[in-house]
Amino acid sequence: MLRTPSGGVGHGTAATDNGLMSIGTVLNMLRDEFPEVTISKIRFLESEGLIEPQRTPSGYRKFSPDDVERLGHVLRMQRDHYLPLKVIREHLDAMVRGEAPQLPSVGRQRDGDALGDPEGPTVARIGRAELLAAAEIGERELEEWESYGLITPLPEGVYDSEAVTVAGLVVELGRFGIEPRHLRAVKAAADREAGLVDQVVAPLRRHRNPQTRAHAEAQTKELAGLAVKLHAALVQSALGVRLP
């Protein structure tokens, strides 16, 4: 049995009398575990044949609990294993047939802090070929994105896990005609926001006390989260819209 997102289908949502849910309800259910999921992402996965929600006579999507469970499984495999959609589809089809295929996993390496702490955080690393497969793009696209600074390899020639998220979003924006060159301003704004956060926490990071350095890491995450929320709110305000 697949694990449903955020503990199950009845998680504070309003389903219809026949147990079917709207795409907005499904989005709210998934966001606890997948905060970056969007309606466009759900529609894209449907267009790729990963899920098949029912349709009302007027064309509205209606999702069953099984649809939500399958959707959560797809998102989890993308996030945790960096798998291309074709591999995810084959894996799900095999499970429907009653098979129990093993998922390939991207290697993780343990990075210490700046002083070589062996108990430092575990950071996901993904190779170039794996990134190309996960994003379902070619070398030419990746080279273009790198030229605009949207994705940057680490010194070892590998990428962090956020590169997969960035690649997926660049692909999705491309479906609306937004090209990588159009995103340079977005990247520049993100760099400025990161610089502002770094100014605040830099003194703590340089401190000799390990607890103070750990506090710097926690403060960085908190400030980054606030910056992202502020950025989203400002964009919504400028456009006069409210995201679900």
Side-chain angles (χ1 to χ4, degrees):
M1 177 64 68
L2 301 182
R3 178 167 59 91
T4 54
S6 306
V9 167
H11 184 65
T13 60
T16 60
D17 292 340
N18 59 3
L20 299 180
M21 294 158 278
S22 69
I23 194 170
T25 298
V26 172
L27 181 71
N28 289 332
M29 293 175 64
L30 293 170
R31 275 191 164 166
D32 280 353
E33 184 177 354
F34 309 101
E36 295 179 347
V37 71
T38 63
I39 286 180
S40 294
K41 175 71 170 181
I42 296 174
R43 289 172 177 165
F44 172 70
L45 293 175
E46 178 190 359
S47 71
E48 293 294 314
L50 273 301
I51 51 172
E52 297 181 2
Q54 299 180 38
R55 294 277 188 156
T56 66
S58 55
Y60 289 103
R61 295 171 177 83
K62 290 297 180 180
F63 297 78
S64 70
D66 286 343
D67 291 328
V68 179
E69 185 176 11
R70 182 179 172 95
L71 185 54
H73 200 58
V74 170
L75 294 171
R76 207 170 288 114
M77 283 192 284
Q78 284 190 305
R79 181 194 64 194
D80 298 342
H81 299 276
Y82 311 107
L83 298 177
L85 296 182
K86 179 181 178 181
V87 175
I88 293 175
R89 189 183 301 109
E90 292 172 350
H91 178 82
L92 292 176
D93 290 344
M95 294 187 70
V96 170
R97 295 193 298 267
E99 302 172 11
Q102 292 294 318
L103 279 173
S105 59
V106 174
R108 292 173 181 268
Q109 74 180 51
R110 178 170 291 280
D111 289 348
D113 62 17
L115 296 182
D117 180 6
E119 298 302 320
T122 299
V123 181
R125 295 288 186 261
I126 181 170
R128 190 176 186 85
E130 293 164 324
L131 176 58
L132 292 172
E136 299 186 308
I137 58 172
E139 279 282 354
R140 186 171 181 177
E141 288 98 333
L142 182 54
E143 289 174 1
E144 181 185 13
W145 299 356
E146 289 177 336
S147 71
Y148 292 124
L150 300 175
I151 292 180
T152 304
L154 298 170
E156 314 93 276
V158 296
Y159 302 82
D160 61 26
S161 59
E162 287 303 313
V164 179
T165 301
V166 171
L169 292 171
V170 173
V171 169
E172 286 198 48
L173 289 168
R175 295 192 296 111
F176 293 90
I178 299 178
E179 300 178 13
R181 60 188 176 88
H182 300 143
L183 300 174
R184 286 180 293 185
V186 178
K187 178 62 166 61
D191 288 342
R192 288 194 295 269
E193 292 171 14
L196 179 62
V197 171
D198 193 58
Q199 286 181 13
V200 175
V201 300
L204 298 178
R205 284 177 174 165
R206 293 193 295 265
H207 204 281
R208 289 188 174 184
N209 189 322
Q211 291 183 341
T212 302
R213 294 198 303 273
H215 177 63
E217 182 68 20
Q219 195 171 86
T220 298
K221 292 180 180 179
E222 183 178 3
L223 287 171
L226 291 172
V228 169
K229 290 180 180 178
L230 175 60
H231 183 89
L234 289 173
V235 171
Q236 292 180 65
S237 177
L239 293 173
V241 298
R242 182 173 180 81
L243 298 178

